[in-house]
Amino acid sequence: MDKYIIEGQRPLTGEVYISGSKNAALAIIPAALLIEGKCRIEDVPDIGDVRILDEILTYLGAKVSYTDDRNTIEIDSSCLNNWAAPYEMAKKLRASYYLLGGLLGRFGRAEVSFPGGCDFGSRPIDQHIKGLEALGVKIEIEHGIIKAEAKKLVGCKIYLDVVSVGATINLMLAAVRAEGTTIIENAAKEPHIVDVANFLNAMGANVKGAGTDIIRVMGVSTLRGGATHAIIPDQIEAGTFMIAAAATDGDIVVRNIIPKHMEPLTAKLLEMNIEVRQNGDWIRVISHGGIQKANIKTLPYPGYPTDLHPPAAVLLCRAAGTSMITETIYDNRFHYVDELQRMGAGIRVDGRVAVIEGASELTGAPIKAHDLRAGAALVIAGLIARGTTEVHNIGYIDRGYENLDVKLRSLGASITRVSDDC
Ligand code: EPU
């Protein structure tokens, strides 16, 4: 993997353009398997996880082509001839579970390895399996492979015991071509769930209620090809830049975002004494110093997103007073803490709570990303630290951020990507 070398203590200034949502793209691309035809997806982020999905789709027989900037993708699934995703590819990706929904909806069968992805402790998929079984799918798990088969998918009522983004979307995908109506209760409400429903409806599906906690999928016998869909802006990438601007005493305009999606973060930034202005499709974040402490609890949308927990922890290192972040979504999202401690952060973990003693000056150090959002948080730590920081393992960051270093340089940061052999 490459590494980033960052010279810190330069305020970010200027404008940055946000890419399409990673987590929407990772669901919409497998959803394209449902149609025996073509579709065109715009504003796809050019990130590692999308490239892996592209390889899997190609292996399954789909034709995948890109525009030169790799942000528009055309998928022709008419020649799809395989319902078994190769273990070596699928295991690299959390979102490989969407291949289950997509392939079941298309062929009534699917074989996919247990999903990989970032390590935040236990990440079960029992709600996906419970919902699929309720739809009439017979599931067997053998040698790390989930083998799923349904003679017929039949609509039903499914109550999710935990609010799960992945299970909500997967069940939508599997239910689109089922016989009758499927009702998903206690559904997740994240913006990308609405985006996936809009894509499915553009192909002729009948999904209602996405964005609320009850989603109704009225099954249709066929879907039509030819749809074009533009993916929504990435809420987490936008939040990462907003936090980076605040942490560096910067002043940036974040363009191509939906301010409504940013409300849980915006509310916290205002509480920290950071100025936030917004209009239409942009938000300006201005820090005048004097950052105040805040307590954050991660929750499903519209609560504060777990994926913006590690970046917020870095920002709170600069705040006056003691702050707390309570992580309620994952058992263990705290791998970044040891790395921040190496930089002099006053931060400790007690169960699911990070306690952050603010106003400590971070100093540059060699540090290692252990997952995607922790990696982004460490980059922000490098941006505020005195001296030079080396962030290793940045392959994790490449999985979910398009050109993070290029975008940060355009805002005045000193960040260079080099081979880790140097
Ligand atoms: N859960 C279960 N059983 C299930 C599914 C989930 O107990 O069957 C639990 C999980 O263990 C977790 C909680 O429910 O405690 C929420 O998990 P969810 O299913 O919502 O997460 P996910 O679908 O695996 C997606 C994003 C994550 C993001 C979460 C929460 C994708 C590919 N991943 O994961 O994004 O953290 O929703 O918003 O969409 C990231 O982008 O860096 C990332 C990790």
Side-chain angles (χ1 to χ4, degrees), residues 22-24 26 49 94-95 97-98 118 120 122-129 162-167 169 188 190 192 236 300 305-307 328-331 333 352 372-373:
K22 162 177 101 65
N23 289 340
L26 295 181
D49 275 6
R94 181 77 188 157
Y97 47 44
Y98 293 135
C118 296
F120 312 132
S122 159
R123 296 183 77 182
I125 56 162
D126 56 307
Q127 298 305 305
H128 301 239
I129 291 177
V162 291
V163 179
S164 160
V165 172
I169 294 179
E190 267 66 5
H192 45 287
I236 306 301
T306 175
D307 295 335
T328 75
I329 307 294
Y330 295 117
D331 299 347
R333 191 159 207 169
R352 286 193 167 210
L372 168 60
R373 307 302 174 187

Side-chain angles (χ1 to χ4, degrees), residues 112-177:
V112 182
S113 74
F114 253 80
C118 296
D119 174 14
F120 312 132
S122 159
R123 296 183 77 182
I125 56 162
D126 56 307
Q127 298 305 305
H128 301 239
I129 291 177
K130 170 182 131 167
L132 292 174
E133 285 178 338
L135 283 163
V137 181
K138 196 165 156 287
I139 296 201
E140 281 176 17
I141 297 169
E142 263 180 16
H143 310 297
I145 308 284
I146 305 164
K147 296 182 177 177
E149 190 165 359
K151 287 205 172 68
K152 188 161 72 167
L153 291 158
V154 182
C156 62
K157 191 186 255 194
I158 302 159
Y159 180 87
L160 296 178
D161 302 330
V162 291
V163 179
S164 160
V165 172
T168 301
I169 294 179
N170 224 351
L171 297 176
M172 276 167 38
L173 299 189
V176 154
R177 292 177 71 173

Side-chain angles (χ1 to χ4, degrees), residues 225-372:
T228 293
H229 178 82
I231 287 182
I232 54 167
D234 196 301
Q235 174 203 14
I236 306 301
E237 188 199 10
T240 304
F241 279 100
M242 289 167 68
I243 291 172
T248 58
D249 287 338
D251 175 355
I252 70 167
V253 177
V254 184
R255 293 210 177 271
N256 188 39
I257 59 175
I258 299 173
K260 175 93 189 139
H261 296 168
M262 306 313 302
E263 275 173 5
L265 172 63
T266 302
K268 282 294 155 192
L269 293 179
L270 292 171
E271 196 180 319
M272 293 178 209
N273 192 34
I274 289 149
E275 190 179 338
V276 182
R277 298 183 200 165
Q278 63 186 53
N279 200 345
D281 67 349
W282 58 264
I283 286 188
R284 181 172 172 191
V285 176
I286 311 164
S287 173
H288 306 284
I291 300 171
Q292 297 301 309
K293 65 180 178 166
N295 293 332
I296 293 176
K297 192 177 199 175
T298 64
L299 288 167
Y301 188 82
Y304 187 93
T306 175
D307 295 335
L308 289 178
H309 149 184
V314 176
L315 171 58
L316 289 169
C317 288
R318 292 217 46 225
T322 304
S323 304
M324 287 196 295
I325 300 184
T326 307
E327 173 57 55
T328 75
I329 307 294
Y330 295 117
D331 299 347
N332 185 5
R333 191 159 207 169
F334 296 103
H335 296 310
Y336 67 89
V337 168
D338 287 352
E339 307 300 316
L340 290 184
Q341 284 170 343
R342 292 160 65 84
M343 301 176 78
I347 175 167
R348 63 176 196 282
V349 178
D350 187 359
R352 286 193 167 210
V353 181
V355 180
I356 303 152
E357 307 292 344
S360 46
E361 188 190 42
L362 302 191
T363 51
I367 47 177
K368 212 186 246 184
H370 293 279
D371 63 68
L372 168 60

Side-chain angles (χ1 to χ4, degrees), residues 201-220:
N201 288 339
M203 297 195 300
N206 189 349
V207 182
K208 292 202 164 70
T212 75
D213 56 9
I214 301 185
I215 298 177
R216 282 187 172 71
V217 185
M218 276 64 75
V220 295

